[in-house]
Amino acid sequence: MDLAKDEKLPGNNLHVSRKIDYFPYIPPLFITLILLVGQITFGILDSYINVIISIATSIIAEVLLARLILGTHKNLASAYITGISVGILVRSNMVWPYVIAALLSILSKYVIRYKGRHLWNPSNFGVSWLLFMAPLSVAGLGIQWGNNLLPMAVIWLLGLGIVYRAKKLHVTLTYVTCFVILAYVRSLITSDPFLAELAPLTGPMYQLFIFFMITDPGTSVSGKRAQIVVVIIVAIVEFILRLESFIYAPFYALFLVGPVARFIDLKQNKSQTIANQTNEARQN
Amino acid sequence: MSYSFFMSTPKQVYKVVAIILFIVLLIGSALLSHKGVFHLNGDTGGTNEQAALSKYGFYLEPVDIKAAGIDFRHLCPVIDSKLNNIASQIASMGASVTIVDFDNDGWNDIYFTNSRTGSLNALYRNLHNGKFENVGAQVGLADVNKKGTGVSMGTVWGDYDNDGFTDMFLYKWGKPELFHNIGGKKFVNVTEGSGLPSWVNANCAIWLDFDNDGKLDLFLGGYYNEAFDLSNLNTTKIMPESFRYANNGGKNYLFKNLGNGKFKDVAAEYGLISTKWKLAAGAADFNGDGYPELYVANDYNVDEFYINEKGKGFVERGKLVGIGNIPKSGMSVSFGDINNSGMLGIYTTNITEPGILIQGNNYWQPKSSAAGDPSFVNLAQLSGIENAGWSYGAQFGDLNNDGFIDLYAANGFISGKKNTSYWYDYSKVTGGNSKIIGDAANWPDMQGKSQSGYQQNKIWLNNSNGLFEDVSNKVCPYITFDSRSVAMADLWNRGVLDVVVANQNNVPLIYKNNSKNNNHWIDFDLHGTLSNASAIGAKVQLEWNGKKQMQIVSGGSGFSAQNQHRIHFGIGKSTTADKVTIYWPSGKIEKLEKPQIDQLHVITENKTNN
């Protein structure tokens, strides 16, 4: 999630400028805005407690793991976004899925690493795992949002502005374009109405996915062209999963494609690896 | 030691610990879920009646309904062809069952609704020997689904004119109708001139005396907007505008009984202006002022709790009292005192579909018995009665007479082609904007698919103080229907509760309760004098052997259902009952010391003695 990830965070960045860069704080504010708009306007949350628990779990895990494993202090914006995403996306009548999803998300960053970098988008990992492996206890945010276009339009405009500022607009636009085209193809294949295939794009699950998961710099590949190729592959895998009736197809598609692309990218891109290792060495 | 110890430990050690924790969580989360806090379909293996009798003291034996004289089969509504793509979803309601002793012979009779134009409803008179006779046509309650009048969705029974015979209100996707019971011999349709509206797409109604004037009033809840005739539409834009926040359903109606067979709709005047999608309602006094509050279970939105302002109006306080915060798919309202606290709680049903939608059912327990606006806490998860499936009707009743009320919940939405599911298609469109979800033309074709189909009904046994055990496959055979409406009644006058289930587009189920536990019981059949003659709204508290339990005479409960009129208490091995206290709607309180057990007490409200 994590437009505010490792590379751009103050105190955690080789390229930080001398001017104070406030942009890393924008994504956490934006996801908080989505939560607040959703909650105040429609009551998107079933319980504040679950979100608080998942945020707290993420932050505590991040603080401890960064200190004990990397020997550093990390900016907590990323953990905050992970926690809030888990709190919104996971739906359960019990508390433990929120704790475990948040823990798995953060742990994945420290456990599954290649050349000093993590491979999965943290919340994509935690949420996908629970949705797939714990269906008797967990469902996802998929069938709730309001009946008003205005809040959705505001979130889309703000989100597009932020990913533009983060230089990830091409990722978002490519994905949305692919989704719309493939929705049309699906409607031809399934004979379902095009609007039914397009409908998920109007829900909050996709807003979190589009603005926070697929644009995550921490798990993106290098180079604009490569990023576009990867997001097209994500959209195609999602298309296939949708034809197989996977409700949480976008999460699963990113779960499958993202780390493979990231692994190949890290394997090929030596300079980035060296920079990252240097960065970690400085932090340590 | 602590900080320096942690800092001096090599990072590799922490990394190994993190890896182990990570693996444990990965495996543990999967196992924890699959180990199962709930199983919707349970064990499909065979049941053993003797084992059930030995362990639980009762067994629900499916009655051979044909041999019992019941040849009823529900037929679903025929919907306008514009909605063919989702016809089975739209036409998924209408099977209802209510219990009434319409001829005052002391035996419970059964009424089933049918939902296809021209189909017949059925009134099965109890022949006192386990057999029933359909007298629907004979008494004038069968041919009520005539073309142009809509189709039946449910009924509720109450003596609206206080003449001693229970009358019937029929609600439809169509013209609501009132039938006057003439001496238990026949029913006369008295709708014309009664003040009832010409068309309501209703799926719930209850009798209540909201102003305690001794005359039964009527609450009627619209589901689809009343502008639509679902069999003849000129638009496909009839669907909810949102899955969680829909306000484009039907109107509320609150018919004040003016006497002389006249009713006046005072819903707007009394504050019942919501247009949510209502599927169930219940009324009981929760703040101790003697006037019944109104609980409304809504599909596609939050439930509503209306505080009765001493018969002068209603004010909605769902959020304030704690029940109106999380939108679910409310489909049933039933009252029960699951932990023998002397306070009625509220059980409402919703949807649980693993991995897709885990709403869970609710049991709203009042936090306190003190007078004043109530406040509720949801105990369904703690009590083990949260997840049932796609639940419709649910009813409380002490099935094994052990002194703790048990719970029966009907399950199953659409049993179409096996091994198919419409859930994925459903999730696409219900996640969309109102412009998409609200138009049936945008909904994918169901193509005969199932959606939460082939689910077994749930039977939860209250082991004591509100802790329930799922005995669904242990006390009756494994059967799956798309069950809708449940009613409990003593059909053989044996002092045990039998169960009747109306199944959508199918035959009903009647379970005879075979009981071998030597537990005792006591029943009360109340008749009001100052209060409404049906005593609807009267609360009865029984005390025995240091225990107490509250029950209420209901004017309709569950989903499109009504239990037997008499109140049934199991008292376990206790050989005496200490006291019964009756709180009549009129405000009178009557107490009986040491009532005889193992018998039915017919109690008429004392007009003079307070």
Side-chain angles (χ1 to χ4, degrees), chain A residues 225-249:
Chain A
R225 187 175 297 174
Q227 288 168 2
I228 288 174
V229 169
V230 169
V231 84
I232 289 172
I233 295 172
V234 169
I236 291 171
V237 171
E238 181 195 349
F239 166 82
I240 295 166
L241 292 173
R242 284 197 165 278
L243 287 176
E244 292 300 314
S245 299
F246 283 90
I247 290 177
Y248 306 113

PDB file of all heavy atoms in Angstrom, chain A residues 225-249:
ATOM      1  N   ARG A 225       7.805   1.283 -18.393  1.00  0.00           N
ATOM      2  CA  ARG A 225       7.292   0.301 -19.343  1.00  0.00           C
ATOM      3  C   ARG A 225       7.060  -1.040 -18.644  1.00  0.00           C
ATOM      4  O   ARG A 225       6.030  -1.689 -18.848  1.00  0.00           O
ATOM      5  CB  ARG A 225       8.288   0.138 -20.493  1.00  0.00           C
ATOM      6  CG  ARG A 225       7.756  -0.734 -21.608  1.00  0.00           C
ATOM      7  CD  ARG A 225       8.706  -0.790 -22.778  1.00  0.00           C
ATOM      8  NE  ARG A 225       8.899   0.515 -23.403  1.00  0.00           N
ATOM      9  CZ  ARG A 225       9.772   0.758 -24.373  1.00  0.00           C
ATOM     10  NH1 ARG A 225      10.537  -0.207 -24.825  1.00  0.00           N
ATOM     11  NH2 ARG A 225       9.871   1.954 -24.897  1.00  0.00           N
ATOM     12  N   ALA A 226       8.006  -1.415 -17.808  1.00  0.00           N
ATOM     13  CA  ALA A 226       7.859  -2.689 -17.090  1.00  0.00           C
ATOM     14  C   ALA A 226       6.649  -2.651 -16.152  1.00  0.00           C
ATOM     15  O   ALA A 226       5.907  -3.636 -16.007  1.00  0.00           O
ATOM     16  CB  ALA A 226       9.126  -2.986 -16.296  1.00  0.00           C
ATOM     17  N   GLN A 227       6.455  -1.507 -15.521  1.00  0.00           N
ATOM     18  CA  GLN A 227       5.293  -1.382 -14.623  1.00  0.00           C
ATOM     19  C   GLN A 227       3.985  -1.547 -15.393  1.00  0.00           C
ATOM     20  O   GLN A 227       3.044  -2.180 -14.924  1.00  0.00           O
ATOM     21  CB  GLN A 227       5.322  -0.027 -13.910  1.00  0.00           C
ATOM     22  CG  GLN A 227       6.412   0.066 -12.860  1.00  0.00           C
ATOM     23  CD  GLN A 227       6.626   1.477 -12.351  1.00  0.00           C
ATOM     24  OE1 GLN A 227       5.931   2.408 -12.748  1.00  0.00           O
ATOM     25  NE2 GLN A 227       7.603   1.633 -11.462  1.00  0.00           N
ATOM     26  N   ILE A 228       3.962  -0.970 -16.580  1.00  0.00           N
ATOM     27  CA  ILE A 228       2.752  -1.088 -17.411  1.00  0.00           C
ATOM     28  C   ILE A 228       2.528  -2.545 -17.820  1.00  0.00           C
ATOM     29  O   ILE A 228       1.405  -3.069 -17.755  1.00  0.00           O
ATOM     30  CB  ILE A 228       2.862  -0.164 -18.643  1.00  0.00           C
ATOM     31  CG1 ILE A 228       2.705   1.297 -18.185  1.00  0.00           C
ATOM     32  CG2 ILE A 228       1.803  -0.512 -19.681  1.00  0.00           C
ATOM     33  CD1 ILE A 228       2.942   2.316 -19.280  1.00  0.00           C
ATOM     34  N   VAL A 229       3.601  -3.208 -18.193  1.00  0.00           N
ATOM     35  CA  VAL A 229       3.474  -4.614 -18.595  1.00  0.00           C
ATOM     36  C   VAL A 229       2.953  -5.446 -17.420  1.00  0.00           C
ATOM     37  O   VAL A 229       2.038  -6.280 -17.563  1.00  0.00           O
ATOM     38  CB  VAL A 229       4.840  -5.164 -19.089  1.00  0.00           C
ATOM     39  CG1 VAL A 229       4.783  -6.680 -19.247  1.00  0.00           C
ATOM     40  CG2 VAL A 229       5.224  -4.509 -20.402  1.00  0.00           C
ATOM     41  N   VAL A 230       3.517  -5.200 -16.241  1.00  0.00           N
ATOM     42  CA  VAL A 230       3.109  -5.991 -15.070  1.00  0.00           C
ATOM     43  C   VAL A 230       1.634  -5.761 -14.742  1.00  0.00           C
ATOM     44  O   VAL A 230       0.886  -6.707 -14.479  1.00  0.00           O
ATOM     45  CB  VAL A 230       4.002  -5.648 -13.853  1.00  0.00           C
ATOM     46  CG1 VAL A 230       3.404  -6.258 -12.576  1.00  0.00           C
ATOM     47  CG2 VAL A 230       5.405  -6.173 -14.062  1.00  0.00           C
ATOM     48  N   VAL A 231       1.219  -4.524 -14.799  1.00  0.00           N
ATOM     49  CA  VAL A 231      -0.180  -4.253 -14.427  1.00  0.00           C
ATOM     50  C   VAL A 231      -1.137  -4.826 -15.476  1.00  0.00           C
ATOM     51  O   VAL A 231      -2.251  -5.251 -15.150  1.00  0.00           O
ATOM     52  CB  VAL A 231      -0.397  -2.741 -14.172  1.00  0.00           C
ATOM     53  CG1 VAL A 231      -0.668  -1.979 -15.453  1.00  0.00           C
ATOM     54  CG2 VAL A 231      -1.540  -2.531 -13.203  1.00  0.00           C
ATOM     55  N   ILE A 232      -0.692  -4.878 -16.716  1.00  0.00           N
ATOM     56  CA  ILE A 232      -1.521  -5.537 -17.742  1.00  0.00           C
ATOM     57  C   ILE A 232      -1.642  -7.031 -17.431  1.00  0.00           C
ATOM     58  O   ILE A 232      -2.731  -7.620 -17.524  1.00  0.00           O
ATOM     59  CB  ILE A 232      -0.919  -5.311 -19.154  1.00  0.00           C
ATOM     60  CG1 ILE A 232      -1.094  -3.847 -19.575  1.00  0.00           C
ATOM     61  CG2 ILE A 232      -1.588  -6.226 -20.181  1.00  0.00           C
ATOM     62  CD1 ILE A 232      -0.373  -3.474 -20.864  1.00  0.00           C
ATOM     63  N   ILE A 233      -0.527  -7.620 -17.008  1.00  0.00           N
ATOM     64  CA  ILE A 233      -0.575  -9.056 -16.666  1.00  0.00           C
ATOM     65  C   ILE A 233      -1.499  -9.277 -15.456  1.00  0.00           C
ATOM     66  O   ILE A 233      -2.289 -10.228 -15.418  1.00  0.00           O
ATOM     67  CB  ILE A 233       0.845  -9.591 -16.378  1.00  0.00           C
ATOM     68  CG1 ILE A 233       1.681  -9.515 -17.646  1.00  0.00           C
ATOM     69  CG2 ILE A 233       0.795 -11.031 -15.869  1.00  0.00           C
ATOM     70  CD1 ILE A 233       3.158  -9.847 -17.444  1.00  0.00           C
ATOM     71  N   VAL A 234      -1.407  -8.371 -14.480  1.00  0.00           N
ATOM     72  CA  VAL A 234      -2.306  -8.476 -13.315  1.00  0.00           C
ATOM     73  C   VAL A 234      -3.766  -8.448 -13.785  1.00  0.00           C
ATOM     74  O   VAL A 234      -4.594  -9.268 -13.370  1.00  0.00           O
ATOM     75  CB  VAL A 234      -2.045  -7.332 -12.309  1.00  0.00           C
ATOM     76  CG1 VAL A 234      -3.151  -7.282 -11.250  1.00  0.00           C
ATOM     77  CG2 VAL A 234      -0.692  -7.505 -11.643  1.00  0.00           C
ATOM     78  N   ALA A 235      -4.064  -7.501 -14.676  1.00  0.00           N
ATOM     79  CA  ALA A 235      -5.453  -7.378 -15.161  1.00  0.00           C
ATOM     80  C   ALA A 235      -5.889  -8.627 -15.918  1.00  0.00           C
ATOM     81  O   ALA A 235      -7.037  -9.070 -15.798  1.00  0.00           O
ATOM     82  CB  ALA A 235      -5.585  -6.139 -16.045  1.00  0.00           C
ATOM     83  N   ILE A 236      -4.957  -9.206 -16.679  1.00  0.00           N
ATOM     84  CA  ILE A 236      -5.312 -10.407 -17.448  1.00  0.00           C
ATOM     85  C   ILE A 236      -5.532 -11.600 -16.504  1.00  0.00           C
ATOM     86  O   ILE A 236      -6.490 -12.372 -16.674  1.00  0.00           O
ATOM     87  CB  ILE A 236      -4.220 -10.725 -18.498  1.00  0.00           C
ATOM     88  CG1 ILE A 236      -4.244  -9.645 -19.597  1.00  0.00           C
ATOM     89  CG2 ILE A 236      -4.423 -12.106 -19.116  1.00  0.00           C
ATOM     90  CD1 ILE A 236      -3.085  -9.716 -20.559  1.00  0.00           C
ATOM     91  N   VAL A 237      -4.665 -11.739 -15.520  1.00  0.00           N
ATOM     92  CA  VAL A 237      -4.853 -12.843 -14.555  1.00  0.00           C
ATOM     93  C   VAL A 237      -6.176 -12.652 -13.805  1.00  0.00           C
ATOM     94  O   VAL A 237      -6.935 -13.602 -13.584  1.00  0.00           O
ATOM     95  CB  VAL A 237      -3.656 -12.920 -13.576  1.00  0.00           C
ATOM     96  CG1 VAL A 237      -3.943 -13.915 -12.456  1.00  0.00           C
ATOM     97  CG2 VAL A 237      -2.399 -13.324 -14.315  1.00  0.00           C
ATOM     98  N   GLU A 238      -6.457 -11.405 -13.445  1.00  0.00           N
ATOM     99  CA  GLU A 238      -7.739 -11.139 -12.787  1.00  0.00           C
ATOM    100  C   GLU A 238      -8.901 -11.525 -13.706  1.00  0.00           C
ATOM    101  O   GLU A 238      -9.892 -12.113 -13.256  1.00  0.00           O
ATOM    102  CB  GLU A 238      -7.846  -9.656 -12.417  1.00  0.00           C
ATOM    103  CG  GLU A 238      -9.162  -9.344 -11.700  1.00  0.00           C
ATOM    104  CD  GLU A 238      -9.473  -7.860 -11.638  1.00  0.00           C
ATOM    105  OE1 GLU A 238      -8.584  -7.055 -11.952  1.00  0.00           O
ATOM    106  OE2 GLU A 238     -10.616  -7.535 -11.294  1.00  0.00           O
ATOM    107  N   PHE A 239      -8.766 -11.191 -14.971  1.00  0.00           N
ATOM    108  CA  PHE A 239      -9.798 -11.536 -15.971  1.00  0.00           C
ATOM    109  C   PHE A 239     -10.044 -13.049 -15.977  1.00  0.00           C
ATOM    110  O   PHE A 239     -11.193 -13.512 -15.940  1.00  0.00           O
ATOM    111  CB  PHE A 239      -9.296 -11.044 -17.336  1.00  0.00           C
ATOM    112  CG  PHE A 239     -10.038 -11.578 -18.520  1.00  0.00           C
ATOM    113  CD1 PHE A 239     -11.234 -11.004 -18.928  1.00  0.00           C
ATOM    114  CD2 PHE A 239      -9.542 -12.653 -19.250  1.00  0.00           C
ATOM    115  CE1 PHE A 239     -11.914 -11.486 -20.038  1.00  0.00           C
ATOM    116  CE2 PHE A 239     -10.224 -13.137 -20.359  1.00  0.00           C
ATOM    117  CZ  PHE A 239     -11.412 -12.566 -20.751  1.00  0.00           C
ATOM    118  N   ILE A 240      -8.956 -13.803 -15.958  1.00  0.00           N
ATOM    119  CA  ILE A 240      -9.099 -15.271 -15.972  1.00  0.00           C
ATOM    120  C   ILE A 240      -9.756 -15.752 -14.671  1.00  0.00           C
ATOM    121  O   ILE A 240     -10.665 -16.583 -14.689  1.00  0.00           O
ATOM    122  CB  ILE A 240      -7.713 -15.936 -16.169  1.00  0.00           C
ATOM    123  CG1 ILE A 240      -7.176 -15.570 -17.558  1.00  0.00           C
ATOM    124  CG2 ILE A 240      -7.790 -17.447 -15.986  1.00  0.00           C
ATOM    125  CD1 ILE A 240      -5.699 -15.878 -17.752  1.00  0.00           C
ATOM    126  N   LEU A 241      -9.301 -15.192 -13.563  1.00  0.00           N
ATOM    127  CA  LEU A 241      -9.879 -15.602 -12.272  1.00  0.00           C
ATOM    128  C   LEU A 241     -11.361 -15.234 -12.201  1.00  0.00           C
ATOM    129  O   LEU A 241     -12.168 -15.970 -11.638  1.00  0.00           O
ATOM    130  CB  LEU A 241      -9.110 -14.946 -11.119  1.00  0.00           C
ATOM    131  CG  LEU A 241      -7.674 -15.431 -10.917  1.00  0.00           C
ATOM    132  CD1 LEU A 241      -6.961 -14.586  -9.860  1.00  0.00           C
ATOM    133  CD2 LEU A 241      -7.661 -16.898 -10.492  1.00  0.00           C
ATOM    134  N   ARG A 242     -11.710 -14.110 -12.777  1.00  0.00           N
ATOM    135  CA  ARG A 242     -13.123 -13.706 -12.778  1.00  0.00           C
ATOM    136  C   ARG A 242     -13.966 -14.667 -13.608  1.00  0.00           C
ATOM    137  O   ARG A 242     -15.105 -14.969 -13.243  1.00  0.00           O
ATOM    138  CB  ARG A 242     -13.283 -12.277 -13.299  1.00  0.00           C
ATOM    139  CG  ARG A 242     -12.885 -11.222 -12.286  1.00  0.00           C
ATOM    140  CD  ARG A 242     -13.421  -9.843 -12.623  1.00  0.00           C
ATOM    141  NE  ARG A 242     -13.308  -8.972 -11.473  1.00  0.00           N
ATOM    142  CZ  ARG A 242     -14.170  -8.931 -10.461  1.00  0.00           C
ATOM    143  NH1 ARG A 242     -15.236  -9.713 -10.474  1.00  0.00           N
ATOM    144  NH2 ARG A 242     -14.006  -8.127  -9.440  1.00  0.00           N
ATOM    145  N   LEU A 243     -13.411 -15.111 -14.695  1.00  0.00           N
ATOM    146  CA  LEU A 243     -14.153 -16.096 -15.497  1.00  0.00           C
ATOM    147  C   LEU A 243     -14.361 -17.389 -14.706  1.00  0.00           C
ATOM    148  O   LEU A 243     -15.292 -18.139 -14.970  1.00  0.00           O
ATOM    149  CB  LEU A 243     -13.411 -16.387 -16.799  1.00  0.00           C
ATOM    150  CG  LEU A 243     -13.456 -15.271 -17.846  1.00  0.00           C
ATOM    151  CD1 LEU A 243     -12.609 -15.646 -19.055  1.00  0.00           C
ATOM    152  CD2 LEU A 243     -14.883 -14.967 -18.287  1.00  0.00           C
ATOM    153  N   GLU A 244     -13.473 -17.613 -13.727  1.00  0.00           N
ATOM    154  CA  GLU A 244     -13.621 -18.789 -12.862  1.00  0.00           C
ATOM    155  C   GLU A 244     -14.383 -18.438 -11.580  1.00  0.00           C
ATOM    156  O   GLU A 244     -14.379 -19.199 -10.616  1.00  0.00           O
ATOM    157  CB  GLU A 244     -12.241 -19.341 -12.502  1.00  0.00           C
ATOM    158  CG  GLU A 244     -11.498 -19.945 -13.686  1.00  0.00           C
ATOM    159  CD  GLU A 244     -12.238 -21.108 -14.311  1.00  0.00           C
ATOM    160  OE1 GLU A 244     -12.718 -21.966 -13.565  1.00  0.00           O
ATOM    161  OE2 GLU A 244     -12.361 -21.138 -15.563  1.00  0.00           O
ATOM    162  N   SER A 245     -15.012 -17.272 -11.564  1.00  0.00           N
ATOM    163  CA  SER A 245     -15.901 -16.847 -10.473  1.00  0.00           C
ATOM    164  C   SER A 245     -15.200 -16.622  -9.136  1.00  0.00           C
ATOM    165  O   SER A 245     -15.769 -16.868  -8.074  1.00  0.00           O
ATOM    166  CB  SER A 245     -17.042 -17.851 -10.280  1.00  0.00           C
ATOM    167  OG  SER A 245     -17.808 -17.947 -11.444  1.00  0.00           O
ATOM    168  N   PHE A 246     -13.960 -16.150  -9.186  1.00  0.00           N
ATOM    169  CA  PHE A 246     -13.292 -15.764  -7.934  1.00  0.00           C
ATOM    170  C   PHE A 246     -13.711 -14.341  -7.581  1.00  0.00           C
ATOM    171  O   PHE A 246     -13.390 -13.395  -8.311  1.00  0.00           O
ATOM    172  CB  PHE A 246     -11.769 -15.822  -8.088  1.00  0.00           C
ATOM    173  CG  PHE A 246     -11.213 -17.213  -8.052  1.00  0.00           C
ATOM    174  CD1 PHE A 246     -11.076 -17.948  -9.209  1.00  0.00           C
ATOM    175  CD2 PHE A 246     -10.835 -17.788  -6.836  1.00  0.00           C
ATOM    176  CE1 PHE A 246     -10.567 -19.237  -9.172  1.00  0.00           C
ATOM    177  CE2 PHE A 246     -10.325 -19.078  -6.793  1.00  0.00           C
ATOM    178  CZ  PHE A 246     -10.193 -19.809  -7.961  1.00  0.00           C
ATOM    179  N   ILE A 247     -14.419 -14.205  -6.473  1.00  0.00           N
ATOM    180  CA  ILE A 247     -14.910 -12.877  -6.099  1.00  0.00           C
ATOM    181  C   ILE A 247     -13.761 -11.919  -5.807  1.00  0.00           C
ATOM    182  O   ILE A 247     -13.819 -10.743  -6.148  1.00  0.00           O
ATOM    183  CB  ILE A 247     -15.844 -12.997  -4.876  1.00  0.00           C
ATOM    184  CG1 ILE A 247     -17.132 -13.683  -5.305  1.00  0.00           C
ATOM    185  CG2 ILE A 247     -16.134 -11.629  -4.271  1.00  0.00           C
ATOM    186  CD1 ILE A 247     -18.101 -13.930  -4.188  1.00  0.00           C
ATOM    187  N   TYR A 248     -12.705 -12.434  -5.202  1.00  0.00           N
ATOM    188  CA  TYR A 248     -11.599 -11.556  -4.820  1.00  0.00           C
ATOM    189  C   TYR A 248     -10.467 -11.636  -5.846  1.00  0.00           C
ATOM    190  O   TYR A 248      -9.289 -11.615  -5.504  1.00  0.00           O
ATOM    191  CB  TYR A 248     -11.120 -11.910  -3.416  1.00  0.00           C
ATOM    192  CG  TYR A 248     -12.278 -11.898  -2.436  1.00  0.00           C
ATOM    193  CD1 TYR A 248     -12.710 -13.067  -1.833  1.00  0.00           C
ATOM    194  CD2 TYR A 248     -12.969 -10.724  -2.176  1.00  0.00           C
ATOM    195  CE1 TYR A 248     -13.802 -13.070  -0.974  1.00  0.00           C
ATOM    196  CE2 TYR A 248     -14.064 -10.709  -1.321  1.00  0.00           C
ATOM    197  CZ  TYR A 248     -14.472 -11.885  -0.723  1.00  0.00           C
ATOM    198  OH  TYR A 248     -15.548 -11.872   0.110  1.00  0.00           O
ATOM    199  N   ALA A 249     -10.865 -11.726  -7.099  1.00  0.00           N
ATOM    200  CA  ALA A 249      -9.919 -11.916  -8.193  1.00  0.00           C
ATOM    201  C   ALA A 249      -8.796 -10.870  -8.226  1.00  0.00           C
ATOM    202  O   ALA A 249      -7.640 -11.233  -8.445  1.00  0.00           O
ATOM    203  CB  ALA A 249     -10.669 -11.930  -9.524  1.00  0.00           C
TER     204      ALA A 249
END
